[in-house]
Amino acid sequence: MANSVLGILLVVATLGASKGEAVEKGEASDSKVKNRLEQLYLWKVSDRLKLTPDQEAKFRAIYKEIVEARNKAASEIEKCLNQIEAAKGNSKTVQKLVAQYESLLAEYNTVSVKELERLKKFMGSEKLSEYLLLKREMTQKLKDVISHGGLNLQTKAASSPLKDPEVIQE
């Protein structure tokens, strides 16, 4: 779920950039934004859960391992989907690829279970419950921002013309 939060954050940040900026900056900008959002997420978790510096370091290590595992699994799923798309019309190949997709999807979902197990062992049920509620809160806030059109706050402000000043006489 943490990766889904980061994914949403990345989408928000990417969509929030103007098209010209996205074309000019490319992947380096996406990586920079992703790193910033990840740092913000880790800081927010550490702050809210009141982790000690040692606990924060351990949490970061666990988090990074989980994100890497989830990204790897997601990449494999994407490759499989591309192969399915390329194999349209060849029913035997598609059947094998769909079975492979099911396996990869199960592996991807296992990552979330492993995340819970590792974090529960690390921080205990009480802090884990706080962590899960924090993730839900952050995800919901991002969904609200997306659904209410709050993506391009800077772009909207910059592109909307200012009204002429009004003179108020007393």
Side-chain angles (χ1 to χ4, degrees):
M1 184 178 231
N3 195 37
S4 63
V5 171
L6 281 177
I8 292 169
L9 286 169
L10 182 59
V11 169
V12 169
T14 303
L15 292 175
S18 71
K19 290 180 184 177
E21 290 173 353
V23 171
E24 288 175 22
K25 295 181 182 178
E27 286 183 30
S29 177
D30 289 346
S31 176
K32 195 175 194 180
V33 168
K34 184 178 178 182
N35 287 337
R36 284 183 183 170
L37 293 172
E38 185 175 275
Q39 293 300 318
L40 177 64
Y41 177 78
L42 292 169
W43 169 81
K44 182 71 171 176
V45 169
S46 178
D47 183 58
R48 180 76 68 88
L49 299 180
K50 296 175 176 56
L51 300 177
T52 66
D54 287 341
Q55 290 173 326
E56 183 178 352
K58 289 177 186 175
F59 174 76
R60 284 177 181 268
I62 292 170
Y63 175 80
K64 294 222 185 256
E65 287 176 26
I66 295 297
V67 167
E68 287 175 13
R70 189 174 283 123
N71 287 343
K72 181 182 176 195
S75 176
E76 292 298 319
I77 287 172
E78 187 62 30
K79 285 178 190 175
C80 185
L81 287 171
N82 289 337
Q83 290 173 344
I84 290 171
E85 184 176 35
K88 284 183 183 175
N90 186 339
S91 61
K92 283 187 175 185
T93 304
V94 168
Q95 187 177 9
K96 288 178 184 177
L97 289 170
V98 168
Q100 180 183 355
Y101 176 81
E102 287 180 58
S103 174
L104 291 169
L105 190 58
E107 184 180 321
Y108 180 85
N109 289 329
T110 302
V111 173
S112 294
V113 174
K114 288 179 182 177
E115 173 187 21
L116 287 176
E117 291 170 351
R118 291 192 66 197
L119 289 175
K120 184 177 179 181
K121 185 178 179 181
F122 164 66
M123 61 176 70
S125 295
E126 191 66 32
K127 278 220 193 260
L128 178 61
S129 67
E130 291 178 44
Y131 172 73
L132 295 173
L133 294 174
L134 173 61
K135 283 182 11 177
R136 180 180 74 174
E137 176 187 326
M138 292 174 73
T139 301
Q140 189 58 48
K141 284 181 180 180
L142 286 169
K143 286 178 183 178
D144 290 347
V145 167
I146 291 169
S147 67
H148 291 96
L151 295 176
N152 284 328
L153 296 176
Q154 291 177 335
T155 306
K156 285 181 184 177
S159 64
S160 63
L162 297 174
K163 290 195 260 181
D164 290 335
E166 295 180 22
V167 177
I168 301 173
Q169 294 180 348
E170 292 184 17

